[in-house]
């Protein structure tokens, strides 16, 4: 049977592996970590995301319904709360029971996919990689540099652990960061990240902690400072091929350039990467279809949103003047209209089908 090499045993790498193993390929997945569960810098974690679980499961060929949990979410402009207008799901990453990775790894094992852990892709291996090698290294900056994929660096404070609730998230906007702070919870596990495209100050973290204490009654004892890469440096970031290599997951640019939702795009692009082995033309068509809104959403974020973004106090005042309930009703109306959004894959909002 023909062999396929995949680097990255995360979600997109394993979806590609599952689909190729079913097509009769001998698949070997390498990862720099010492076991499955993705990067230890980022996982275990809980991620909240818009997704149509049924249609995505059908497309990627794995029933994901046991690991994606319907979630409620609040969006805060400082202390002004709004209910998130669309539907959201939360999924656990890492190697705990109930995580997405545990589900995919079990399926890989069933299909005879081989894993080589502690086996990172290094720059000097690139010229000798076998044909149809798939690289799915997620958000690790060194992988982007090695493959010359443009990326933007982000910085953040992260906290995680067990917590007394599940299937609830909140997002916080404040002037101290360019992106947001958010907490996601699932399977009684929380993941909290305050992140920005500029280094995040201790003062910003203190502001976030005060906000959480006041509004959510939550306090975390430990925070860790982390950094990573996102493929949101250029409007043409999405790419299925980089030279002779097939890219999968977030490295391929299959990520929403507005809110940085990456779960759905990574799943879908794992399937597209597998298709690239058997039918390049069809795979390119699918890749372009799923990422068709990337450039316009990228420009919107950079040219419009980042100009409005520093004025959280002004927006908060406007919402309070219009009234929270009325703003809420307008947001729900807008979401129902399925405005084109940048999330690649199947979501039940933002017109991404
Ligand atoms: C902290 C954080 C929070 C996030 N929150 C959300 C959220 O709430 N909602 C949402 O939709 N998206 C979120 N995202 C984005 C989303 O999680 C990612 O886009 C998605 O999981 C990436 O999937 P992937 O398959 O591309 O890579 P991953 O699943 O991350 O897998 C990459 C794998 O590659 C391996 N690897 C890295 N470098 C090498 C190398 N050189 N050689 C071999 N293996 C290597 C890693 O160890 C890892 O196992 C978040 C991302 C991060 C980092």
């Amino acid at each position: 049977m023909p062999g396929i090499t995949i680097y990255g045993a995360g979600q997109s790498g394993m979806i590609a592996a599952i689909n190729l193993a079913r097509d009769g390929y001998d698949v070997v997945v390498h990862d720099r970590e010492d076991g499955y569960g993705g990067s230890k810098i980022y996982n275990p974690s809980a991620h909240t995301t818009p997704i149509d679980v049924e249609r995505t499961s059908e497309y990627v060929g794995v029933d994901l319904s046991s690991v994606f949990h319907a979630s409620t979410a609040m969006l805060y402009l400082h202390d002004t709360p709004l209910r998130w207008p669309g539907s959201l799901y939360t999924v656990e990453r890492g190697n705990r029971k109930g995580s997405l990775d545990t589900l995919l790894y079990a399926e890989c094992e069933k299909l005879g996919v081989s894993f080589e852990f502690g086996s990172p892709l290094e720059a000097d291996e690139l010229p000798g990689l076998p044909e149809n090698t798939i690289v799915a290294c997620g958000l690790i900056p060194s992988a982007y540099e090695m493959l010359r994929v443009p990326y933007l660096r982000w910085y953040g404070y992260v906290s995680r652990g067990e917590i007394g609730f599940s299937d609830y998230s909140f997002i916080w906007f404040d002037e101290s960061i360019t992106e947001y702070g958010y907490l996601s919870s699932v399977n009684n596990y929380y993941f909290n990240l305050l992140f920005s495209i500029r280094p995040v100050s201790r003062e910003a973290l203190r502001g976030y902690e005060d906000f959480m204490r006041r509004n959510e009654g939550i306090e975390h004892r430990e925070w860790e400072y982390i950094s990573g890469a996102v493929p949101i440096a250029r409007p043409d970031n999405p790419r299925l091929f980089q030279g002779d290599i097939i890219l999968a997951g977030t490295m391929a640019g299959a990520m929403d350039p507005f809110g940085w939702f990456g779960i759905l795009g990574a799943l879908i692009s794992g399937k597209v990467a597998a298709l690239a082995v058997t039918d390049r033309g069809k795979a390119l068509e699918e890749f372009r279809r799923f990422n068709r809104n990337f450039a316009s959403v990228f420009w919107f974020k950079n040219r419009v949103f980042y100009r409005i973004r520093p004025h959280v106090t002004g927006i908060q005042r406007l919402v309070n003047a219009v009234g929270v309930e009325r703003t809420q009703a307008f947001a729900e109306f807008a979401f129902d209209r399925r405005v084109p959004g940048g999330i690649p894959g199947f979501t039940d909002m933002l017109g991404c089908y």
Side-chain angles (χ1 to χ4, degrees), residues 335-346:
F335 264 59
D336 280 350
R337 301 278 81 72
R338 296 185 182 266
V339 218
I343 303 167
F346 302 102

mmCIF file with all atom_site columns, all heavy atoms in Angstrom, residues 335-346:
data_model
loop_
_atom_site.group_PDB
_atom_site.id
_atom_site.type_symbol
_atom_site.label_atom_id
_atom_site.label_alt_id
_atom_site.label_comp_id
_atom_site.label_asym_id
_atom_site.label_entity_id
_atom_site.label_seq_id
_atom_site.pdbx_PDB_ins_code
_atom_site.Cartn_x
_atom_site.Cartn_y
_atom_site.Cartn_z
_atom_site.occupancy
_atom_site.B_iso_or_equiv
_atom_site.pdbx_formal_charge
_atom_site.auth_seq_id
_atom_site.auth_comp_id
_atom_site.auth_asym_id
_atom_site.auth_atom_id
_atom_site.pdbx_PDB_model_num
ATOM 1  N N   . PHE A 1 335 ? -27.490 38.327 12.705 1.00 0.00 ? 335 PHE A N   1
ATOM 2  C CA  . PHE A 1 335 ? -26.935 36.974 12.623 1.00 0.00 ? 335 PHE A CA  1
ATOM 3  C C   . PHE A 1 335 ? -27.835 36.070 11.787 1.00 0.00 ? 335 PHE A C   1
ATOM 4  O O   . PHE A 1 335 ? -27.365 35.240 11.025 1.00 0.00 ? 335 PHE A O   1
ATOM 5  C CB  . PHE A 1 335 ? -26.749 36.384 14.028 1.00 0.00 ? 335 PHE A CB  1
ATOM 6  C CG  . PHE A 1 335 ? -25.353 36.562 14.549 1.00 0.00 ? 335 PHE A CG  1
ATOM 7  C CD1 . PHE A 1 335 ? -24.806 37.831 14.689 1.00 0.00 ? 335 PHE A CD1 1
ATOM 8  C CD2 . PHE A 1 335 ? -24.580 35.471 14.904 1.00 0.00 ? 335 PHE A CD2 1
ATOM 9  C CE1 . PHE A 1 335 ? -23.518 38.003 15.167 1.00 0.00 ? 335 PHE A CE1 1
ATOM 10 C CE2 . PHE A 1 335 ? -23.278 35.627 15.378 1.00 0.00 ? 335 PHE A CE2 1
ATOM 11 C CZ  . PHE A 1 335 ? -22.755 36.892 15.506 1.00 0.00 ? 335 PHE A CZ  1
ATOM 12 N N   . ASP A 1 336 ? -29.160 36.255 11.946 1.00 0.00 ? 336 ASP A N   1
ATOM 13 C CA  . ASP A 1 336 ? -30.098 35.421 11.187 1.00 0.00 ? 336 ASP A CA  1
ATOM 14 C C   . ASP A 1 336 ? -30.022 35.680 9.689  1.00 0.00 ? 336 ASP A C   1
ATOM 15 O O   . ASP A 1 336 ? -30.440 34.864 8.892  1.00 0.00 ? 336 ASP A O   1
ATOM 16 C CB  . ASP A 1 336 ? -31.541 35.688 11.647 1.00 0.00 ? 336 ASP A CB  1
ATOM 17 C CG  . ASP A 1 336 ? -31.834 34.937 12.933 1.00 0.00 ? 336 ASP A CG  1
ATOM 18 O OD1 . ASP A 1 336 ? -31.000 34.097 13.311 1.00 0.00 ? 336 ASP A OD1 1
ATOM 19 O OD2 . ASP A 1 336 ? -32.874 35.199 13.555 1.00 0.00 ? 336 ASP A OD2 1
ATOM 20 N N   . ARG A 1 337 ? -29.529 36.866 9.319  1.00 0.00 ? 337 ARG A N   1
ATOM 21 C CA  . ARG A 1 337 ? -29.460 37.213 7.885  1.00 0.00 ? 337 ARG A CA  1
ATOM 22 C C   . ARG A 1 337 ? -28.321 36.480 7.190  1.00 0.00 ? 337 ARG A C   1
ATOM 23 O O   . ARG A 1 337 ? -28.163 36.549 6.002  1.00 0.00 ? 337 ARG A O   1
ATOM 24 C CB  . ARG A 1 337 ? -29.249 38.735 7.685  1.00 0.00 ? 337 ARG A CB  1
ATOM 25 C CG  . ARG A 1 337 ? -30.321 39.610 8.278  1.00 0.00 ? 337 ARG A CG  1
ATOM 26 C CD  . ARG A 1 337 ? -31.540 39.733 7.397  1.00 0.00 ? 337 ARG A CD  1
ATOM 27 N NE  . ARG A 1 337 ? -32.482 38.641 7.477  1.00 0.00 ? 337 ARG A NE  1
ATOM 28 C CZ  . ARG A 1 337 ? -33.307 38.372 8.486  1.00 0.00 ? 337 ARG A CZ  1
ATOM 29 N NH1 . ARG A 1 337 ? -33.327 39.103 9.566  1.00 0.00 ? 337 ARG A NH1 1
ATOM 30 N NH2 . ARG A 1 337 ? -34.127 37.369 8.435  1.00 0.00 ? 337 ARG A NH2 1
ATOM 31 N N   . ARG A 1 338 ? -27.482 35.782 7.940  1.00 0.00 ? 338 ARG A N   1
ATOM 32 C CA  . ARG A 1 338 ? -26.337 35.054 7.373  1.00 0.00 ? 338 ARG A CA  1
ATOM 33 C C   . ARG A 1 338 ? -25.425 35.948 6.541  1.00 0.00 ? 338 ARG A C   1
ATOM 34 O O   . ARG A 1 338 ? -25.230 35.737 5.344  1.00 0.00 ? 338 ARG A O   1
ATOM 35 C CB  . ARG A 1 338 ? -26.816 33.884 6.526  1.00 0.00 ? 338 ARG A CB  1
ATOM 36 C CG  . ARG A 1 338 ? -27.545 32.862 7.322  1.00 0.00 ? 338 ARG A CG  1
ATOM 37 C CD  . ARG A 1 338 ? -27.894 31.683 6.453  1.00 0.00 ? 338 ARG A CD  1
ATOM 38 N NE  . ARG A 1 338 ? -28.658 30.729 7.254  1.00 0.00 ? 338 ARG A NE  1
ATOM 39 C CZ  . ARG A 1 338 ? -28.107 29.705 7.883  1.00 0.00 ? 338 ARG A CZ  1
ATOM 40 N NH1 . ARG A 1 338 ? -26.839 29.489 7.792  1.00 0.00 ? 338 ARG A NH1 1
ATOM 41 N NH2 . ARG A 1 338 ? -28.850 28.895 8.599  1.00 0.00 ? 338 ARG A NH2 1
ATOM 42 N N   . VAL A 1 339 ? -24.907 36.958 7.167  1.00 0.00 ? 339 VAL A N   1
ATOM 43 C CA  . VAL A 1 339 ? -23.913 37.846 6.544  1.00 0.00 ? 339 VAL A CA  1
ATOM 44 C C   . VAL A 1 339 ? -22.693 36.991 6.204  1.00 0.00 ? 339 VAL A C   1
ATOM 45 O O   . VAL A 1 339 ? -22.317 36.152 7.006  1.00 0.00 ? 339 VAL A O   1
ATOM 46 C CB  . VAL A 1 339 ? -23.414 38.902 7.564  1.00 0.00 ? 339 VAL A CB  1
ATOM 47 C CG1 . VAL A 1 339 ? -23.196 40.238 6.928  1.00 0.00 ? 339 VAL A CG1 1
ATOM 48 C CG2 . VAL A 1 339 ? -24.258 38.944 8.803  1.00 0.00 ? 339 VAL A CG2 1
ATOM 49 N N   . PRO A 1 340 ? -22.048 37.214 5.054  1.00 0.00 ? 340 PRO A N   1
ATOM 50 C CA  . PRO A 1 340 ? -20.866 36.394 4.761  1.00 0.00 ? 340 PRO A CA  1
ATOM 51 C C   . PRO A 1 340 ? -19.788 36.593 5.827  1.00 0.00 ? 340 PRO A C   1
ATOM 52 O O   . PRO A 1 340 ? -19.454 37.718 6.171  1.00 0.00 ? 340 PRO A O   1
ATOM 53 C CB  . PRO A 1 340 ? -20.384 36.921 3.402  1.00 0.00 ? 340 PRO A CB  1
ATOM 54 C CG  . PRO A 1 340 ? -21.492 37.725 2.860  1.00 0.00 ? 340 PRO A CG  1
ATOM 55 C CD  . PRO A 1 340 ? -22.333 38.192 4.001  1.00 0.00 ? 340 PRO A CD  1
ATOM 56 N N   . GLY A 1 341 ? -19.290 35.506 6.354  1.00 0.00 ? 341 GLY A N   1
ATOM 57 C CA  . GLY A 1 341 ? -18.260 35.598 7.388  1.00 0.00 ? 341 GLY A CA  1
ATOM 58 C C   . GLY A 1 341 ? -17.021 34.841 6.960  1.00 0.00 ? 341 GLY A C   1
ATOM 59 O O   . GLY A 1 341 ? -16.976 34.251 5.892  1.00 0.00 ? 341 GLY A O   1
ATOM 60 N N   . GLY A 1 342 ? -16.008 34.873 7.781  1.00 0.00 ? 342 GLY A N   1
ATOM 61 C CA  . GLY A 1 342 ? -14.730 34.286 7.386  1.00 0.00 ? 342 GLY A CA  1
ATOM 62 C C   . GLY A 1 342 ? -14.467 32.909 7.944  1.00 0.00 ? 342 GLY A C   1
ATOM 63 O O   . GLY A 1 342 ? -13.367 32.399 7.802  1.00 0.00 ? 342 GLY A O   1
ATOM 64 N N   . ILE A 1 343 ? -15.458 32.289 8.583  1.00 0.00 ? 343 ILE A N   1
ATOM 65 C CA  . ILE A 1 343 ? -15.199 30.991 9.210  1.00 0.00 ? 343 ILE A CA  1
ATOM 66 C C   . ILE A 1 343 ? -15.323 29.897 8.151  1.00 0.00 ? 343 ILE A C   1
ATOM 67 O O   . ILE A 1 343 ? -16.396 29.691 7.595  1.00 0.00 ? 343 ILE A O   1
ATOM 68 C CB  . ILE A 1 343 ? -16.189 30.726 10.367 1.00 0.00 ? 343 ILE A CB  1
ATOM 69 C CG1 . ILE A 1 343 ? -16.097 31.861 11.380 1.00 0.00 ? 343 ILE A CG1 1
ATOM 70 C CG2 . ILE A 1 343 ? -15.898 29.383 11.025 1.00 0.00 ? 343 ILE A CG2 1
ATOM 71 C CD1 . ILE A 1 343 ? -17.219 31.882 12.392 1.00 0.00 ? 343 ILE A CD1 1
ATOM 72 N N   . PRO A 1 344 ? -14.212 29.221 7.820  1.00 0.00 ? 344 PRO A N   1
ATOM 73 C CA  . PRO A 1 344 ? -14.311 28.212 6.771  1.00 0.00 ? 344 PRO A CA  1
ATOM 74 C C   . PRO A 1 344 ? -15.001 26.949 7.283  1.00 0.00 ? 344 PRO A C   1
ATOM 75 O O   . PRO A 1 344 ? -14.666 26.472 8.359  1.00 0.00 ? 344 PRO A O   1
ATOM 76 C CB  . PRO A 1 344 ? -12.851 27.912 6.422  1.00 0.00 ? 344 PRO A CB  1
ATOM 77 C CG  . PRO A 1 344 ? -12.024 28.445 7.536  1.00 0.00 ? 344 PRO A CG  1
ATOM 78 C CD  . PRO A 1 344 ? -12.873 29.311 8.413  1.00 0.00 ? 344 PRO A CD  1
ATOM 79 N N   . GLY A 1 345 ? -15.968 26.446 6.506  1.00 0.00 ? 345 GLY A N   1
ATOM 80 C CA  . GLY A 1 345 ? -16.608 25.202 6.920  1.00 0.00 ? 345 GLY A CA  1
ATOM 81 C C   . GLY A 1 345 ? -18.089 25.363 7.093  1.00 0.00 ? 345 GLY A C   1
ATOM 82 O O   . GLY A 1 345 ? -18.705 26.199 6.450  1.00 0.00 ? 345 GLY A O   1
ATOM 83 N N   . PHE A 1 346 ? -18.668 24.569 7.974  1.00 0.00 ? 346 PHE A N   1
ATOM 84 C CA  . PHE A 1 346 ? -20.114 24.571 8.149  1.00 0.00 ? 346 PHE A CA  1
ATOM 85 C C   . PHE A 1 346 ? -20.486 25.221 9.472  1.00 0.00 ? 346 PHE A C   1
ATOM 86 O O   . PHE A 1 346 ? -20.235 24.681 10.534 1.00 0.00 ? 346 PHE A O   1
ATOM 87 C CB  . PHE A 1 346 ? -20.637 23.139 8.109  1.00 0.00 ? 346 PHE A CB  1
ATOM 88 C CG  . PHE A 1 346 ? -20.294 22.436 6.827  1.00 0.00 ? 346 PHE A CG  1
ATOM 89 C CD1 . PHE A 1 346 ? -19.253 21.532 6.771  1.00 0.00 ? 346 PHE A CD1 1
ATOM 90 C CD2 . PHE A 1 346 ? -21.001 22.709 5.672  1.00 0.00 ? 346 PHE A CD2 1
ATOM 91 C CE1 . PHE A 1 346 ? -18.925 20.903 5.586  1.00 0.00 ? 346 PHE A CE1 1
ATOM 92 C CE2 . PHE A 1 346 ? -20.698 22.080 4.482  1.00 0.00 ? 346 PHE A CE2 1
ATOM 93 C CZ  . PHE A 1 346 ? -19.647 21.174 4.444  1.00 0.00 ? 346 PHE A CZ  1
#
